[in-house]
Amino acid sequence: MDPIKDLLKKSGMSNILISIIFGLFGIILYVFHEGAVKLISCLIGLLFLLIGVARLVNYVKGRGRGEHLNFDLFCGLIATIAGIIAIIYTDAIGAILRIIVGTWIVYSGITRAYLSFKIKGFNSSIWIFSLVLSILMIIFGIYIMLNSGAIITLIGSLMIAYAIIDIICLLYTSPSPRDGATS
């Protein structure tokens, strides 16, 4: 199997899972509007809080047995503080959510565009389709970041569209099992 197909195969399933989760967040935003932002902020805060506490417990349990545990202390403190901030300041988190979402979509679009040009180097005709989808992703991301008046339902809709485009792009560009077979 050539390197690009191997790379696509390894990252394909995890990327599809991330896109599905992103799409679910989009559905929540679309359906529940403002309350969803607060809910997501609290859930993210709880997640960070749990990660932080787990890291701090790991640090306390293994104290003095290795330098990597200092990393647990640092990460535990940062994650715990981030979790508390996300829970307390849900309105502020909601205000920057569109920046975070837009940045992620632009980043994903750029990486997909880069991958499209890599695929072009292998004389595959799917690179054009992949590039067009990547450009659409970048446009969606920029729109979300620049439009401070974007309503939450629009952001949810664009997140759903992003997830669908990303999944289609991933499924379309992922190598099939027969691609790795030799004749």
Side-chain angles (χ1 to χ4, degrees), residues 70-107:
N70 291 334
F71 183 71
D72 281 338
L73 175 63
F74 178 73
C75 285
L77 289 173
I78 296 297
T80 301
I81 292 168
I84 292 169
I85 289 171
I87 291 169
I88 293 173
Y89 297 106
T90 56
D91 292 332
I93 300 298
I96 64 169
L97 180 64
R98 70 180 174 79
I99 301 297
I100 294 168
V101 168
T103 302
W104 179 259
I105 293 173
V106 168
Y107 168 76

PDB file of all heavy atoms in Angstrom, residues 70-107:
ATOM      1  N   ASN A  70       5.254  15.334  37.013  1.00  0.00           N
ATOM      2  CA  ASN A  70       5.148  16.786  37.061  1.00  0.00           C
ATOM      3  C   ASN A  70       4.241  17.282  35.939  1.00  0.00           C
ATOM      4  O   ASN A  70       3.546  18.274  36.090  1.00  0.00           O
ATOM      5  CB  ASN A  70       6.524  17.437  36.962  1.00  0.00           C
ATOM      6  CG  ASN A  70       7.348  17.193  38.207  1.00  0.00           C
ATOM      7  OD1 ASN A  70       6.808  16.979  39.288  1.00  0.00           O
ATOM      8  ND2 ASN A  70       8.654  17.203  38.048  1.00  0.00           N
ATOM      9  N   PHE A  71       4.257  16.588  34.831  1.00  0.00           N
ATOM     10  CA  PHE A  71       3.367  16.897  33.722  1.00  0.00           C
ATOM     11  C   PHE A  71       1.920  16.684  34.158  1.00  0.00           C
ATOM     12  O   PHE A  71       1.041  17.464  33.812  1.00  0.00           O
ATOM     13  CB  PHE A  71       3.727  16.029  32.514  1.00  0.00           C
ATOM     14  CG  PHE A  71       2.910  16.317  31.290  1.00  0.00           C
ATOM     15  CD1 PHE A  71       3.086  17.500  30.586  1.00  0.00           C
ATOM     16  CD2 PHE A  71       1.954  15.417  30.853  1.00  0.00           C
ATOM     17  CE1 PHE A  71       2.335  17.771  29.469  1.00  0.00           C
ATOM     18  CE2 PHE A  71       1.199  15.686  29.732  1.00  0.00           C
ATOM     19  CZ  PHE A  71       1.392  16.864  29.036  1.00  0.00           C
ATOM     20  N   ASP A  72       1.666  15.608  34.923  1.00  0.00           N
ATOM     21  CA  ASP A  72       0.317  15.365  35.445  1.00  0.00           C
ATOM     22  C   ASP A  72      -0.140  16.507  36.347  1.00  0.00           C
ATOM     23  O   ASP A  72      -1.288  16.928  36.284  1.00  0.00           O
ATOM     24  CB  ASP A  72       0.263  14.047  36.219  1.00  0.00           C
ATOM     25  CG  ASP A  72       0.162  12.833  35.313  1.00  0.00           C
ATOM     26  OD1 ASP A  72      -0.282  12.993  34.160  1.00  0.00           O
ATOM     27  OD2 ASP A  72       0.514  11.729  35.764  1.00  0.00           O
ATOM     28  N   LEU A  73       0.758  16.998  37.172  1.00  0.00           N
ATOM     29  CA  LEU A  73       0.421  18.112  38.059  1.00  0.00           C
ATOM     30  C   LEU A  73       0.078  19.346  37.236  1.00  0.00           C
ATOM     31  O   LEU A  73      -0.961  19.982  37.457  1.00  0.00           O
ATOM     32  CB  LEU A  73       1.584  18.419  39.013  1.00  0.00           C
ATOM     33  CG  LEU A  73       1.398  19.642  39.906  1.00  0.00           C
ATOM     34  CD1 LEU A  73       0.219  19.452  40.851  1.00  0.00           C
ATOM     35  CD2 LEU A  73       2.671  19.932  40.678  1.00  0.00           C
ATOM     36  N   PHE A  74       0.923  19.685  36.274  1.00  0.00           N
ATOM     37  CA  PHE A  74       0.706  20.862  35.431  1.00  0.00           C
ATOM     38  C   PHE A  74      -0.598  20.737  34.644  1.00  0.00           C
ATOM     39  O   PHE A  74      -1.439  21.634  34.673  1.00  0.00           O
ATOM     40  CB  PHE A  74       1.897  21.054  34.485  1.00  0.00           C
ATOM     41  CG  PHE A  74       1.734  22.204  33.546  1.00  0.00           C
ATOM     42  CD1 PHE A  74       1.843  23.513  34.010  1.00  0.00           C
ATOM     43  CD2 PHE A  74       1.458  21.994  32.207  1.00  0.00           C
ATOM     44  CE1 PHE A  74       1.686  24.583  33.145  1.00  0.00           C
ATOM     45  CE2 PHE A  74       1.297  23.049  31.339  1.00  0.00           C
ATOM     46  CZ  PHE A  74       1.406  24.357  31.805  1.00  0.00           C
ATOM     47  N   CYS A  75      -0.772  19.619  33.949  1.00  0.00           N
ATOM     48  CA  CYS A  75      -1.981  19.415  33.140  1.00  0.00           C
ATOM     49  C   CYS A  75      -3.224  19.364  34.020  1.00  0.00           C
ATOM     50  O   CYS A  75      -4.280  19.871  33.648  1.00  0.00           O
ATOM     51  CB  CYS A  75      -1.872  18.130  32.320  1.00  0.00           C
ATOM     52  SG  CYS A  75      -0.771  18.292  30.927  1.00  0.00           S
ATOM     53  N   GLY A  76      -3.099  18.723  35.176  1.00  0.00           N
ATOM     54  CA  GLY A  76      -4.225  18.629  36.093  1.00  0.00           C
ATOM     55  C   GLY A  76      -4.690  19.991  36.572  1.00  0.00           C
ATOM     56  O   GLY A  76      -5.897  20.273  36.605  1.00  0.00           O
ATOM     57  N   LEU A  77      -3.743  20.846  36.929  1.00  0.00           N
ATOM     58  CA  LEU A  77      -4.102  22.187  37.384  1.00  0.00           C
ATOM     59  C   LEU A  77      -4.732  23.010  36.266  1.00  0.00           C
ATOM     60  O   LEU A  77      -5.766  23.659  36.460  1.00  0.00           O
ATOM     61  CB  LEU A  77      -2.866  22.909  37.940  1.00  0.00           C
ATOM     62  CG  LEU A  77      -2.339  22.392  39.279  1.00  0.00           C
ATOM     63  CD1 LEU A  77      -1.018  23.075  39.628  1.00  0.00           C
ATOM     64  CD2 LEU A  77      -3.370  22.616  40.371  1.00  0.00           C
ATOM     65  N   ILE A  78      -4.107  22.979  35.097  1.00  0.00           N
ATOM     66  CA  ILE A  78      -4.623  23.755  33.956  1.00  0.00           C
ATOM     67  C   ILE A  78      -6.020  23.267  33.561  1.00  0.00           C
ATOM     68  O   ILE A  78      -6.938  24.075  33.362  1.00  0.00           O
ATOM     69  CB  ILE A  78      -3.661  23.664  32.743  1.00  0.00           C
ATOM     70  CG1 ILE A  78      -2.310  24.294  33.074  1.00  0.00           C
ATOM     71  CG2 ILE A  78      -4.276  24.299  31.496  1.00  0.00           C
ATOM     72  CD1 ILE A  78      -2.365  25.774  33.383  1.00  0.00           C
ATOM     73  N   ALA A  79      -6.207  21.953  33.464  1.00  0.00           N
ATOM     74  CA  ALA A  79      -7.514  21.404  33.068  1.00  0.00           C
ATOM     75  C   ALA A  79      -8.577  21.708  34.119  1.00  0.00           C
ATOM     76  O   ALA A  79      -9.719  22.031  33.772  1.00  0.00           O
ATOM     77  CB  ALA A  79      -7.403  19.904  32.825  1.00  0.00           C
ATOM     78  N   THR A  80      -8.226  21.623  35.385  1.00  0.00           N
ATOM     79  CA  THR A  80      -9.182  21.912  36.451  1.00  0.00           C
ATOM     80  C   THR A  80      -9.607  23.379  36.408  1.00  0.00           C
ATOM     81  O   THR A  80     -10.801  23.694  36.493  1.00  0.00           O
ATOM     82  CB  THR A  80      -8.583  21.568  37.834  1.00  0.00           C
ATOM     83  OG1 THR A  80      -8.228  20.183  37.839  1.00  0.00           O
ATOM     84  CG2 THR A  80      -9.563  21.849  38.948  1.00  0.00           C
ATOM     85  N   ILE A  81      -8.649  24.270  36.256  1.00  0.00           N
ATOM     86  CA  ILE A  81      -8.953  25.709  36.177  1.00  0.00           C
ATOM     87  C   ILE A  81      -9.805  26.005  34.935  1.00  0.00           C
ATOM     88  O   ILE A  81     -10.796  26.738  35.016  1.00  0.00           O
ATOM     89  CB  ILE A  81      -7.652  26.538  36.187  1.00  0.00           C
ATOM     90  CG1 ILE A  81      -6.980  26.431  37.563  1.00  0.00           C
ATOM     91  CG2 ILE A  81      -7.928  27.996  35.821  1.00  0.00           C
ATOM     92  CD1 ILE A  81      -5.553  26.974  37.613  1.00  0.00           C
ATOM     93  N   ALA A  82      -9.436  25.417  33.797  1.00  0.00           N
ATOM     94  CA  ALA A  82     -10.204  25.622  32.563  1.00  0.00           C
ATOM     95  C   ALA A  82     -11.633  25.110  32.729  1.00  0.00           C
ATOM     96  O   ALA A  82     -12.590  25.746  32.257  1.00  0.00           O
ATOM     97  CB  ALA A  82      -9.516  24.942  31.388  1.00  0.00           C
ATOM     98  N   GLY A  83     -11.791  23.980  33.386  1.00  0.00           N
ATOM     99  CA  GLY A  83     -13.122  23.422  33.616  1.00  0.00           C
ATOM    100  C   GLY A  83     -13.980  24.316  34.486  1.00  0.00           C
ATOM    101  O   GLY A  83     -15.157  24.565  34.185  1.00  0.00           O
ATOM    102  N   ILE A  84     -13.399  24.836  35.553  1.00  0.00           N
ATOM    103  CA  ILE A  84     -14.135  25.737  36.449  1.00  0.00           C
ATOM    104  C   ILE A  84     -14.533  27.014  35.717  1.00  0.00           C
ATOM    105  O   ILE A  84     -15.672  27.480  35.823  1.00  0.00           O
ATOM    106  CB  ILE A  84     -13.301  26.037  37.715  1.00  0.00           C
ATOM    107  CG1 ILE A  84     -13.179  24.766  38.568  1.00  0.00           C
ATOM    108  CG2 ILE A  84     -13.922  27.178  38.520  1.00  0.00           C
ATOM    109  CD1 ILE A  84     -12.172  24.863  39.698  1.00  0.00           C
ATOM    110  N   ILE A  85     -13.610  27.558  34.936  1.00  0.00           N
ATOM    111  CA  ILE A  85     -13.902  28.779  34.168  1.00  0.00           C
ATOM    112  C   ILE A  85     -15.027  28.528  33.166  1.00  0.00           C
ATOM    113  O   ILE A  85     -15.944  29.338  33.029  1.00  0.00           O
ATOM    114  CB  ILE A  85     -12.630  29.299  33.460  1.00  0.00           C
ATOM    115  CG1 ILE A  85     -11.663  29.863  34.502  1.00  0.00           C
ATOM    116  CG2 ILE A  85     -12.970  30.348  32.405  1.00  0.00           C
ATOM    117  CD1 ILE A  85     -10.296  30.211  33.961  1.00  0.00           C
ATOM    118  N   ALA A  86     -14.980  27.395  32.471  1.00  0.00           N
ATOM    119  CA  ALA A  86     -16.011  27.080  31.473  1.00  0.00           C
ATOM    120  C   ALA A  86     -17.380  26.917  32.122  1.00  0.00           C
ATOM    121  O   ALA A  86     -18.398  27.294  31.528  1.00  0.00           O
ATOM    122  CB  ALA A  86     -15.632  25.816  30.702  1.00  0.00           C
ATOM    123  N   ILE A  87     -17.425  26.392  33.335  1.00  0.00           N
ATOM    124  CA  ILE A  87     -18.706  26.208  34.024  1.00  0.00           C
ATOM    125  C   ILE A  87     -19.239  27.546  34.551  1.00  0.00           C
ATOM    126  O   ILE A  87     -20.427  27.838  34.434  1.00  0.00           O
ATOM    127  CB  ILE A  87     -18.560  25.174  35.164  1.00  0.00           C
ATOM    128  CG1 ILE A  87     -18.329  23.782  34.569  1.00  0.00           C
ATOM    129  CG2 ILE A  87     -19.796  25.176  36.057  1.00  0.00           C
ATOM    130  CD1 ILE A  87     -17.918  22.734  35.583  1.00  0.00           C
ATOM    131  N   ILE A  88     -18.364  28.358  35.109  1.00  0.00           N
ATOM    132  CA  ILE A  88     -18.791  29.627  35.703  1.00  0.00           C
ATOM    133  C   ILE A  88     -19.147  30.664  34.634  1.00  0.00           C
ATOM    134  O   ILE A  88     -20.127  31.388  34.749  1.00  0.00           O
ATOM    135  CB  ILE A  88     -17.707  30.184  36.651  1.00  0.00           C
ATOM    136  CG1 ILE A  88     -17.578  29.261  37.871  1.00  0.00           C
ATOM    137  CG2 ILE A  88     -18.033  31.602  37.089  1.00  0.00           C
ATOM    138  CD1 ILE A  88     -16.430  29.614  38.794  1.00  0.00           C
ATOM    139  N   TYR A  89     -18.341  30.747  33.588  1.00  0.00           N
ATOM    140  CA  TYR A  89     -18.524  31.779  32.569  1.00  0.00           C
ATOM    141  C   TYR A  89     -19.115  31.217  31.279  1.00  0.00           C
ATOM    142  O   TYR A  89     -18.574  31.416  30.195  1.00  0.00           O
ATOM    143  CB  TYR A  89     -17.187  32.473  32.280  1.00  0.00           C
ATOM    144  CG  TYR A  89     -16.635  33.203  33.477  1.00  0.00           C
ATOM    145  CD1 TYR A  89     -15.555  32.685  34.177  1.00  0.00           C
ATOM    146  CD2 TYR A  89     -17.195  34.391  33.910  1.00  0.00           C
ATOM    147  CE1 TYR A  89     -15.039  33.346  35.280  1.00  0.00           C
ATOM    148  CE2 TYR A  89     -16.694  35.050  35.007  1.00  0.00           C
ATOM    149  CZ  TYR A  89     -15.618  34.530  35.692  1.00  0.00           C
ATOM    150  OH  TYR A  89     -15.120  35.181  36.777  1.00  0.00           O
ATOM    151  N   THR A  90     -20.259  30.557  31.397  1.00  0.00           N
ATOM    152  CA  THR A  90     -20.871  29.944  30.212  1.00  0.00           C
ATOM    153  C   THR A  90     -21.231  30.976  29.150  1.00  0.00           C
ATOM    154  O   THR A  90     -21.139  30.700  27.958  1.00  0.00           O
ATOM    155  CB  THR A  90     -22.131  29.139  30.581  1.00  0.00           C
ATOM    156  OG1 THR A  90     -23.051  29.991  31.264  1.00  0.00           O
ATOM    157  CG2 THR A  90     -21.788  27.951  31.438  1.00  0.00           C
ATOM    158  N   ASP A  91     -21.635  32.182  29.562  1.00  0.00           N
ATOM    159  CA  ASP A  91     -21.984  33.212  28.573  1.00  0.00           C
ATOM    160  C   ASP A  91     -20.765  33.650  27.771  1.00  0.00           C
ATOM    161  O   ASP A  91     -20.837  33.839  26.560  1.00  0.00           O
ATOM    162  CB  ASP A  91     -22.623  34.422  29.257  1.00  0.00           C
ATOM    163  CG  ASP A  91     -24.001  34.093  29.830  1.00  0.00           C
ATOM    164  OD1 ASP A  91     -24.666  33.197  29.275  1.00  0.00           O
ATOM    165  OD2 ASP A  91     -24.395  34.725  30.821  1.00  0.00           O
ATOM    166  N   ALA A  92     -19.635  33.805  28.444  1.00  0.00           N
ATOM    167  CA  ALA A  92     -18.403  34.196  27.749  1.00  0.00           C
ATOM    168  C   ALA A  92     -17.940  33.081  26.817  1.00  0.00           C
ATOM    169  O   ALA A  92     -17.474  33.350  25.710  1.00  0.00           O
ATOM    170  CB  ALA A  92     -17.305  34.527  28.752  1.00  0.00           C
ATOM    171  N   ILE A  93     -18.080  31.851  27.268  1.00  0.00           N
ATOM    172  CA  ILE A  93     -17.702  30.711  26.426  1.00  0.00           C
ATOM    173  C   ILE A  93     -18.576  30.692  25.182  1.00  0.00           C
ATOM    174  O   ILE A  93     -18.106  30.451  24.073  1.00  0.00           O
ATOM    175  CB  ILE A  93     -17.808  29.383  27.199  1.00  0.00           C
ATOM    176  CG1 ILE A  93     -16.877  29.378  28.421  1.00  0.00           C
ATOM    177  CG2 ILE A  93     -17.558  28.198  26.291  1.00  0.00           C
ATOM    178  CD1 ILE A  93     -15.417  29.502  28.105  1.00  0.00           C
ATOM    179  N   GLY A  94     -19.867  30.975  25.354  1.00  0.00           N
ATOM    180  CA  GLY A  94     -20.776  31.023  24.209  1.00  0.00           C
ATOM    181  C   GLY A  94     -20.378  32.088  23.204  1.00  0.00           C
ATOM    182  O   GLY A  94     -20.511  31.902  22.003  1.00  0.00           O
ATOM    183  N   ALA A  95     -19.850  33.201  23.702  1.00  0.00           N
ATOM    184  CA  ALA A  95     -19.440  34.289  22.808  1.00  0.00           C
ATOM    185  C   ALA A  95     -18.234  33.905  21.959  1.00  0.00           C
ATOM    186  O   ALA A  95     -18.122  34.317  20.812  1.00  0.00           O
ATOM    187  CB  ALA A  95     -19.127  35.542  23.627  1.00  0.00           C
ATOM    188  N   ILE A  96     -17.327  33.100  22.511  1.00  0.00           N
ATOM    189  CA  ILE A  96     -16.147  32.716  21.723  1.00  0.00           C
ATOM    190  C   ILE A  96     -16.334  31.382  20.999  1.00  0.00           C
ATOM    191  O   ILE A  96     -15.473  30.977  20.233  1.00  0.00           O
ATOM    192  CB  ILE A  96     -14.882  32.668  22.595  1.00  0.00           C
ATOM    193  CG1 ILE A  96     -14.978  31.592  23.671  1.00  0.00           C
ATOM    194  CG2 ILE A  96     -14.566  34.002  23.184  1.00  0.00           C
ATOM    195  CD1 ILE A  96     -13.670  31.320  24.378  1.00  0.00           C
ATOM    196  N   LEU A  97     -17.481  30.753  21.219  1.00  0.00           N
ATOM    197  CA  LEU A  97     -17.735  29.465  20.563  1.00  0.00           C
ATOM    198  C   LEU A  97     -17.647  29.579  19.048  1.00  0.00           C
ATOM    199  O   LEU A  97     -17.053  28.732  18.390  1.00  0.00           O
ATOM    200  CB  LEU A  97     -19.091  28.897  20.975  1.00  0.00           C
ATOM    201  CG  LEU A  97     -19.470  27.560  20.363  1.00  0.00           C
ATOM    202  CD1 LEU A  97     -18.507  26.466  20.831  1.00  0.00           C
ATOM    203  CD2 LEU A  97     -20.895  27.184  20.703  1.00  0.00           C
ATOM    204  N   ARG A  98     -18.203  30.641  18.499  1.00  0.00           N
ATOM    205  CA  ARG A  98     -18.177  30.773  17.038  1.00  0.00           C
ATOM    206  C   ARG A  98     -16.751  30.919  16.519  1.00  0.00           C
ATOM    207  O   ARG A  98     -16.433  30.439  15.437  1.00  0.00           O
ATOM    208  CB  ARG A  98     -19.055  31.918  16.563  1.00  0.00           C
ATOM    209  CG  ARG A  98     -18.558  33.273  16.902  1.00  0.00           C
ATOM    210  CD  ARG A  98     -19.500  34.372  16.395  1.00  0.00           C
ATOM    211  NE  ARG A  98     -19.061  35.650  16.872  1.00  0.00           N
ATOM    212  CZ  ARG A  98     -18.056  36.340  16.328  1.00  0.00           C
ATOM    213  NH1 ARG A  98     -17.432  35.866  15.288  1.00  0.00           N
ATOM    214  NH2 ARG A  98     -17.690  37.494  16.835  1.00  0.00           N
ATOM    215  N   ILE A  99     -15.875  31.567  17.289  1.00  0.00           N
ATOM    216  CA  ILE A  99     -14.476  31.701  16.879  1.00  0.00           C
ATOM    217  C   ILE A  99     -13.804  30.327  16.891  1.00  0.00           C
ATOM    218  O   ILE A  99     -13.089  29.962  15.962  1.00  0.00           O
ATOM    219  CB  ILE A  99     -13.717  32.684  17.801  1.00  0.00           C
ATOM    220  CG1 ILE A  99     -14.368  34.066  17.789  1.00  0.00           C
ATOM    221  CG2 ILE A  99     -12.245  32.748  17.423  1.00  0.00           C
ATOM    222  CD1 ILE A  99     -14.350  34.762  16.447  1.00  0.00           C
ATOM    223  N   ILE A 100     -14.059  29.573  17.938  1.00  0.00           N
ATOM    224  CA  ILE A 100     -13.463  28.231  18.055  1.00  0.00           C
ATOM    225  C   ILE A 100     -13.970  27.337  16.930  1.00  0.00           C
ATOM    226  O   ILE A 100     -13.181  26.663  16.250  1.00  0.00           O
ATOM    227  CB  ILE A 100     -13.768  27.618  19.434  1.00  0.00           C
ATOM    228  CG1 ILE A 100     -13.076  28.419  20.543  1.00  0.00           C
ATOM    229  CG2 ILE A 100     -13.352  26.148  19.485  1.00  0.00           C
ATOM    230  CD1 ILE A 100     -13.533  28.069  21.940  1.00  0.00           C
ATOM    231  N   VAL A 101     -15.274  27.345  16.715  1.00  0.00           N
ATOM    232  CA  VAL A 101     -15.874  26.500  15.669  1.00  0.00           C
ATOM    233  C   VAL A 101     -15.359  26.921  14.295  1.00  0.00           C
ATOM    234  O   VAL A 101     -14.949  26.083  13.487  1.00  0.00           O
ATOM    235  CB  VAL A 101     -17.418  26.570  15.734  1.00  0.00           C
ATOM    236  CG1 VAL A 101     -18.048  25.951  14.501  1.00  0.00           C
ATOM    237  CG2 VAL A 101     -17.923  25.890  16.991  1.00  0.00           C
ATOM    238  N   GLY A 102     -15.368  28.218  14.022  1.00  0.00           N
ATOM    239  CA  GLY A 102     -14.894  28.704  12.726  1.00  0.00           C
ATOM    240  C   GLY A 102     -13.436  28.368  12.475  1.00  0.00           C
ATOM    241  O   GLY A 102     -13.065  27.945  11.380  1.00  0.00           O
ATOM    242  N   THR A 103     -12.620  28.532  13.505  1.00  0.00           N
ATOM    243  CA  THR A 103     -11.196  28.211  13.379  1.00  0.00           C
ATOM    244  C   THR A 103     -11.002  26.732  13.074  1.00  0.00           C
ATOM    245  O   THR A 103     -10.192  26.357  12.221  1.00  0.00           O
ATOM    246  CB  THR A 103     -10.439  28.599  14.667  1.00  0.00           C
ATOM    247  OG1 THR A 103     -10.630  29.995  14.897  1.00  0.00           O
ATOM    248  CG2 THR A 103      -8.960  28.298  14.554  1.00  0.00           C
ATOM    249  N   TRP A 104     -11.743  25.879  13.770  1.00  0.00           N
ATOM    250  CA  TRP A 104     -11.627  24.436  13.535  1.00  0.00           C
ATOM    251  C   TRP A 104     -12.029  24.078  12.105  1.00  0.00           C
ATOM    252  O   TRP A 104     -11.359  23.285  11.439  1.00  0.00           O
ATOM    253  CB  TRP A 104     -12.471  23.649  14.533  1.00  0.00           C
ATOM    254  CG  TRP A 104     -12.378  22.183  14.275  1.00  0.00           C
ATOM    255  CD1 TRP A 104     -13.284  21.392  13.632  1.00  0.00           C
ATOM    256  CD2 TRP A 104     -11.282  21.329  14.592  1.00  0.00           C
ATOM    257  NE1 TRP A 104     -12.825  20.108  13.546  1.00  0.00           N
ATOM    258  CE2 TRP A 104     -11.587  20.051  14.131  1.00  0.00           C
ATOM    259  CE3 TRP A 104     -10.064  21.543  15.228  1.00  0.00           C
ATOM    260  CZ2 TRP A 104     -10.727  18.973  14.286  1.00  0.00           C
ATOM    261  CZ3 TRP A 104      -9.208  20.467  15.382  1.00  0.00           C
ATOM    262  CH2 TRP A 104      -9.554  19.204  14.911  1.00  0.00           C
ATOM    263  N   ILE A 105     -13.098  24.671  11.616  1.00  0.00           N
ATOM    264  CA  ILE A 105     -13.557  24.369  10.260  1.00  0.00           C
ATOM    265  C   ILE A 105     -12.540  24.855   9.227  1.00  0.00           C
ATOM    266  O   ILE A 105     -12.239  24.145   8.262  1.00  0.00           O
ATOM    267  CB  ILE A 105     -14.960  24.966  10.015  1.00  0.00           C
ATOM    268  CG1 ILE A 105     -15.987  24.233  10.899  1.00  0.00           C
ATOM    269  CG2 ILE A 105     -15.358  24.865   8.553  1.00  0.00           C
ATOM    270  CD1 ILE A 105     -17.375  24.843  10.868  1.00  0.00           C
ATOM    271  N   VAL A 106     -11.994  26.054   9.417  1.00  0.00           N
ATOM    272  CA  VAL A 106     -10.973  26.561   8.489  1.00  0.00           C
ATOM    273  C   VAL A 106      -9.746  25.657   8.515  1.00  0.00           C
ATOM    274  O   VAL A 106      -9.206  25.292   7.462  1.00  0.00           O
ATOM    275  CB  VAL A 106     -10.587  28.021   8.822  1.00  0.00           C
ATOM    276  CG1 VAL A 106      -9.346  28.454   8.065  1.00  0.00           C
ATOM    277  CG2 VAL A 106     -11.753  28.947   8.497  1.00  0.00           C
ATOM    278  N   TYR A 107      -9.307  25.284   9.699  1.00  0.00           N
ATOM    279  CA  TYR A 107      -8.153  24.383   9.826  1.00  0.00           C
ATOM    280  C   TYR A 107      -8.420  23.056   9.104  1.00  0.00           C
ATOM    281  O   TYR A 107      -7.578  22.572   8.348  1.00  0.00           O
ATOM    282  CB  TYR A 107      -7.843  24.137  11.301  1.00  0.00           C
ATOM    283  CG  TYR A 107      -6.859  23.018  11.523  1.00  0.00           C
ATOM    284  CD1 TYR A 107      -5.505  23.194  11.279  1.00  0.00           C
ATOM    285  CD2 TYR A 107      -7.297  21.765  11.959  1.00  0.00           C
ATOM    286  CE1 TYR A 107      -4.606  22.162  11.464  1.00  0.00           C
ATOM    287  CE2 TYR A 107      -6.401  20.728  12.149  1.00  0.00           C
ATOM    288  CZ  TYR A 107      -5.056  20.933  11.902  1.00  0.00           C
ATOM    289  OH  TYR A 107      -4.182  19.903  12.079  1.00  0.00           O
TER     290      TYR A 107
END
